[in-house]
Amino acid sequence: MGNGAKAQQKRERNGDKNASKGAKSQSKSNEAAKNIICSICKQSFLVTTRAPALEDHSQNRHSKTMADCFPNESK
C-alpha cells in the first residue's frame, strides 16, 4: 500500500468530521455586522468602521457633516 492510498483513507475517515462543520464563508456574518447606514444614500458600513472613515464618506459623497449622514453615531 502506497502513501497515496493512506492519504485517501485518511480523507475518507475525516470526511465525517469536516462535513459537520459546514461552509467556511463569512459572507453571512459580514452582512449581519453591517448596521451603520448612511441616512442619505443608505450605504451600509460594518460595525467596526471608525469615525474618520464615516467622516470621509459624508464629506466626499454628500458634502455634509458626519452628524447629517449618521445621526445615530457619535464621534
Side-chain angles (χ1 to χ4, degrees), residues 33 35-36 45-51:
N35 68 356
I36 299 175
F45 295 88
L46 291 175
V47 172
T48 57
T49 305
R50 299 187 187 272

Side-chain angles (χ1 to χ4, degrees), residues 22-58:
K24 300 200 185 263
S25 174
Q26 284 190 298
S27 61
K28 288 182 183 177
S29 60
N30 286 348
E31 281 299 316
K34 290 182 179 180
N35 68 356
I36 299 175
I37 299 175
C38 176
S39 61
I40 297 171
C41 66
K42 306 300 183 202
Q43 180 176 352
S44 60
F45 295 88
L46 291 175
V47 172
T48 57
T49 305
R50 299 187 187 272
L54 299 176
E55 187 72 38
D56 287 343
H57 170 83
S58 60

